[in-house]
Amino acid sequence: YYGESLPFNVSVDTPPEHFKYLTNKQALADIPFFAQNFTLDGHDEDLTPSEKPWVMVGGSYSGMRSAFTRDAYPDTIFAAYASSAPVEARVNMSMYFDQVYDAMVANGYSNCTKDIKAGLEYIDNELSKNDLSAAAIKKRFFGDGAEKNNNGDFTAALAGIFGYFQAYGLGGGEGGLGSFCKYLETDPVTLQTAGPNGFAPYRGNKYVAERFATWPIFVDLVNFNYETNCQQTDTTKPLECALNPKSTEPDTISWFWQFCTEWGYYQSNNFGPHSLLSKFQTLDYQQYTCNRQFPEAVQKGLLPASPQVGATNKETGGWTIRPSNTYWSGGQFDPWRTLS
């Protein structure tokens, strides 16, 4: 999101008082200042917006910035291209997974949606029974050390099957959602594909959960995303299976602050018949990850109890924004389309 340039030297030890400058309003105000002072080696001509039309292009967060900047600073940005730009801030973005569900059904994976739901029901039941059953199911997926994770962090890792959907839809290669569904819905002995209702109705929820746990690439995928070493797949490094850990990456910390304070976008479970996540993926869990990332800010009262989406939409216009010379685009099953 931020490239090589960050608003300050962000780290896990950055005092929370410094984050007061990391706001949408401040970020937008940087752009006209930059544009009005822009020069380029080898070009003696005036390249500022007063002489040359500046066009701002972006997707997702940068798409929002394109639209907001055109709206707030039309004398700086002549035109904008806002792709997949969720300009409406909202705490509850569980509808993200309604879009995933619709895409799966439209592409012939309705059986996979049913089996994912059934498998997670079994997993959630095991997590809810007692400490022994919870530890066993966590270790079934990720091996020794996984039992030390709380239910939210563990089930957040299970949602890794959707990790490439936003960029690739049902593609994404061997780690993509389509690949996972083909594995889940194929009988390992006969190689026959499950019917439209999946395997759970006649093999049971436990079978589906255990099949989920044996997806060959899953542990490697989780280790890659979380920089962990569950099951010690890298034998040159010690076992490490802390799932969904507090981030130490500057750009991730910066984005955390922005969505925890202004945007929300909490991608919790889309509870109901189309549910694709664990029941432990709640709005409370999402807020917990914000509080865990910035404990000092919580103690000092600098992190709001919930993202201030009302104030954000009042400032930006949210869905009511109508900048001229702006082209909007969004894919049919793009999960961000629902707030775009």
Side-chain angles (χ1 to χ4, degrees), residues 47-70:
L47 299 176
T48 64
S50 61
E51 293 295 326
K52 297 289 188 293
W54 281 52
V55 178
M56 193 165 176
V57 178
S60 190
Y61 174 56
S62 56
M64 294 157 54
R65 287 171 57 77
S66 297
F68 290 148
T69 310
R70 169 60 191 165

Side-chain angles (χ1 to χ4, degrees), residues 298-310:
V298 173
Q299 294 168 6
K300 294 182 176 182
L302 298 175
L303 187 75
S306 183
Q308 302 298 288
V309 296

Side-chain angles (χ1 to χ4, degrees), residues 101 104-105 109-123 141 161-162 180-187 192-213 273-277:
Y101 176 91
M104 294 173 72
V105 171
Y109 290 107
S110 60
N111 53 5
C112 190
T113 67
K114 293 180 174 67
D115 275 344
I116 288 174
K117 190 174 190 299
L120 286 170
E121 286 175 356
Y122 174 81
I123 293 167
F141 273 83
I161 59 175
F162 304 110
F180 169 76
C181 283
K182 288 174 183 176
Y183 177 82
L184 190 67
E185 300 307 314
T186 301
D187 185 294
Q192 296 298 306
T193 302
N197 294 319
F199 284 120
Y202 59 96
R203 294 190 179 180
N205 293 0
K206 181 179 180 180
Y207 165 83
V208 177
E210 291 182 342
R211 181 71 172 161
F212 184 168
H274 300 167
S275 171
L276 292 177
L277 299 186

Side-chain angles (χ1 to χ4, degrees), residues 145-146 148-149 153 226-230 240-246:
K148 297 178 182 178
N149 294 281
D153 288 341
Y226 290 148
E227 296 184 352
T228 47
N229 195 23
C230 297
E240 173 54 57
C241 200
L243 302 168
N244 200 29
K246 178 178 176 177

Side-chain angles (χ1 to χ4, degrees), residues 9 96 112 138-139 141 143 184 198 219 230 285 293:
N9 185 22
Y96 183 103
C112 190
K138 291 170 185 176
K139 292 172 72 172
F141 273 83
L184 190 67
V219 174
C230 297
Y285 169 73
Q293 186 66 48

Side-chain angles (χ1 to χ4, degrees), residues 84-140:
S84 183
V87 292
E88 177 77 2
R90 182 180 288 189
V91 174
N92 184 347
M93 200 188 177
S94 58
M95 72 287 290
Y96 183 103
F97 291 98
D98 287 332
Q99 286 287 88
V100 179
Y101 176 91
D102 289 345
M104 294 173 72
V105 171
N107 285 276
Y109 290 107
S110 60
N111 53 5
C112 190
T113 67
K114 293 180 174 67
D115 275 344
I116 288 174
K117 190 174 190 299
L120 286 170
E121 286 175 356
Y122 174 81
I123 293 167
D124 285 346
N125 186 52
E126 293 300 297
L127 293 173
S128 301
K129 277 183 181 177
N130 53 58
D131 291 344
L132 288 177
S133 64
I137 196 69
K138 291 170 185 176
K139 292 172 72 172
R140 181 73 179 83

Side-chain angles (χ1 to χ4, degrees), residues 5-84:
S5 176
L6 289 166
F8 39 75
N9 185 22
V10 178
S11 75
V12 292
D13 299 318
T14 298
E17 292 85 356
H18 291 189
F19 281 100
K20 67 181 180 181
Y21 301 107
L22 184 50
T23 66
N24 178 62
K25 185 176 182 179
Q26 290 276 9
L28 295 181
D30 286 342
I31 296 172
F33 179 83
F34 169 77
Q36 290 159 14
N37 293 277
F38 180 75
T39 59
L40 188 64
D41 290 344
H43 292 264
D44 295 330
E45 58 188 314
D46 187 345
L47 299 176
T48 64
S50 61
E51 293 295 326
K52 297 289 188 293
W54 281 52
V55 178
M56 193 165 176
V57 178
S60 190
Y61 174 56
S62 56
M64 294 157 54
R65 287 171 57 77
S66 297
F68 290 148
T69 310
R70 169 60 191 165
D71 190 57
Y73 299 103
D75 292 337
T76 298
I77 299 300
F78 174 75
Y81 187 129
S83 175
S84 183

